[in-house]
Amino acid sequence: MLNYTTKRALIAILTLLAASLVVFAMLEIVPGDPARLMLGMNATEDAVHNLQEQMGLNQPLAIRYFSWLGGLLTGDLGRSYTYSVPVFDLIMERVAVSLPLAAISLALSTLIALPVGIFAASKRGKFSDTLAMGVTQVGVAIPNFWFALLLVYLFAVTLRLVPAGGFPGWGAGFGVSLKSLILPSIALALPQAAILARVTRSALLEVLGEDYIRTARAKGLSKRQVLYRHALRNALIPVLTILGLQFGFLLAGTIIIENVFYLPGLGRLVFQAITQRDLIVVEGVVMLLIATLILVNLLVDLSYAIVDPRLRGRS
């Protein structure tokens, strides 16, 4: 298990280094000068040159990359061109919204999807299976921004049960803040739950066709015992893979939902930074998201070894 963990951790570190190089290079070729954008199009060349020097934009690319990489390792992500505050503080302020939103959405998605997928697999070929998969197909097809607007109209405008948007901050009270995340969490969770339910059903049906399942049934085990004690654990690997990918999507792919509900999260921060060409903020947020996704994938890889001990031997 130690060798397996070490190899996966080394791969994760190398992937993160490669990603940092790609992110830095891609953002450097984006057209536009941050200094000129900050000063305006009527700024003089001397003023633009002085600001470029202050911001370190006139240094060679290699020096700027290694300086930025060193800052990443020490937690110094630089200062935002637009907000004139440390990027790290800016990101941590927005993570306090995006991380709970992603966690709640993933929990809702899992709590809905696993029972639906297991139920559909246990009723294969019956009307209830067809109905469940039909509902999940609708969930996959519906755009989450349209579903978000529908939720706002129904629960915020018509029934007035929850706020239509905005985030008061955790200082306003846990219950009040959590209430403002309910609708966006549902809007994010249900489409992902539809995908996860279909994956769960497919994985279970594949396992239920294996020889050892038929052997377990021949020994007299009930259908419920076969499903939960033998089939479900062996079907978890593709389910865990999708869960890892979904968490990364829920954390990084919330730009539309955060704009619909006017939430001050990472997605909205990236959108604003791109429009203002605040590259230092974009680089910091993107690297945080990549590092989070790599960490989640590492944890998923380690969970594979727990679920299926045979993988440890192959490492």
Side-chain angles (χ1 to χ4, degrees):
M1 186 66 180
L2 180 60
N3 290 336
Y4 182 86
T5 304
T6 303
K7 288 181 180 180
R8 292 300 180 273
L10 181 60
I11 291 173
I13 293 172
L14 294 176
T15 303
L16 188 59
L17 288 175
S20 70
L21 183 60
V22 172
V23 169
F24 183 83
M26 290 295 292
L27 292 177
E28 285 300 320
I29 65 176
V30 174
D33 185 352
R36 185 171 295 279
L37 185 64
M38 291 175 64
L39 294 175
M41 298 305 296
N42 297 324
T44 63
E45 291 298 325
D46 289 341
V48 173
H49 177 75
N50 290 335
L51 185 57
Q52 287 176 337
E53 189 172 354
Q54 292 176 14
M55 297 166 64
L57 298 175
N58 57 348
Q59 295 180 345
L61 286 177
I63 294 178
R64 288 167 57 191
Y65 169 71
F66 284 109
S67 175
W68 173 67
L69 184 62
L72 289 178
L73 297 176
T74 59
D76 181 11
L77 305 181
R79 295 183 69 85
S80 166
Y81 304 153
T82 304
Y83 302 99
S84 297
V85 297
V87 174
F88 182 82
D89 296 342
L90 194 61
I91 291 176
M92 289 300 103
E93 179 183 345
R94 304 301 181 96
V95 165
V97 178
S98 291
L99 187 59
L101 176 61
I104 295 171
S105 302
L106 187 66
L108 284 175
S109 173
T110 305
L111 289 174
I112 295 170
L114 291 185
V116 171
I118 294 171
F119 173 78
S122 65
K123 304 293 184 180
R124 181 182 184 181
K126 297 181 180 180
F127 173 75
S128 52
D129 176 28
T130 304
L131 179 62
M133 288 301 98
V135 172
T136 60
Q137 185 62 48
V138 173
V140 171
I142 293 178
N144 58 6
F145 72 89
W146 181 86
F147 185 55
L149 293 174
L150 186 64
L151 290 174
V152 169
Y153 177 76
L154 178 61
F155 292 101
V157 177
T158 304
L159 299 178
R160 300 182 181 275
L161 296 176
V162 290
F167 185 73
W170 294 106
F174 181 79
V176 175
S177 301
L178 187 63
K179 194 175 182 180
S180 67
L181 296 179
I182 292 176
L183 289 187
S185 296
I186 295 174
L188 286 169
L190 290 187
Q192 298 303 313
I195 297 172
L196 186 60
R198 296 180 71 87
V199 171
T200 303
R201 175 185 179 275
S202 298
L204 269 174
L205 291 180
E206 183 177 350
V207 172
L208 288 172
E210 297 290 339
D211 292 338
Y212 67 88
I213 296 295
R214 286 192 288 269
T215 302
R217 287 173 176 167
K219 290 181 178 179
L221 294 180
S222 67
K223 187 175 181 180
R224 183 180 181 85
Q225 288 176 319
V226 169
L227 182 64
Y228 287 96
R229 290 174 54 184
H230 295 275
L232 183 58
R233 177 170 180 173
N234 291 287
L236 281 180
I237 287 183
V239 174
L240 290 172
T241 301
I242 297 299
L243 280 174
L245 294 174
Q246 284 188 342
F247 182 77
F249 169 80
L250 291 171
L251 188 60
T254 58
I255 294 178
I256 296 177
I257 294 299
E258 288 183 357
N259 278 278
V260 169
F261 290 97
Y262 207 73
L263 296 175
L266 287 175
R268 188 170 176 82
L269 176 63
V270 170
F271 178 77
Q272 293 171 336
I274 291 173
T275 57
Q276 296 162 347
R277 209 174 186 281
D278 199 345
L279 296 185
I280 193 73
V281 173
V282 177
E283 290 172 340
V285 174
V286 171
M287 284 307 301
L288 172 67
L289 296 176
I290 291 174
T292 303
L293 187 58
I294 290 174
L295 177 61
V296 170
N297 286 334
L298 175 61
L299 295 176
V300 170
D301 282 344
L302 297 180
S303 68
Y304 290 166
I306 297 174
V307 172
D308 188 353
R310 293 172 299 177
L311 294 176
R312 303 176 216 168
R314 294 175 190 173
S315 64

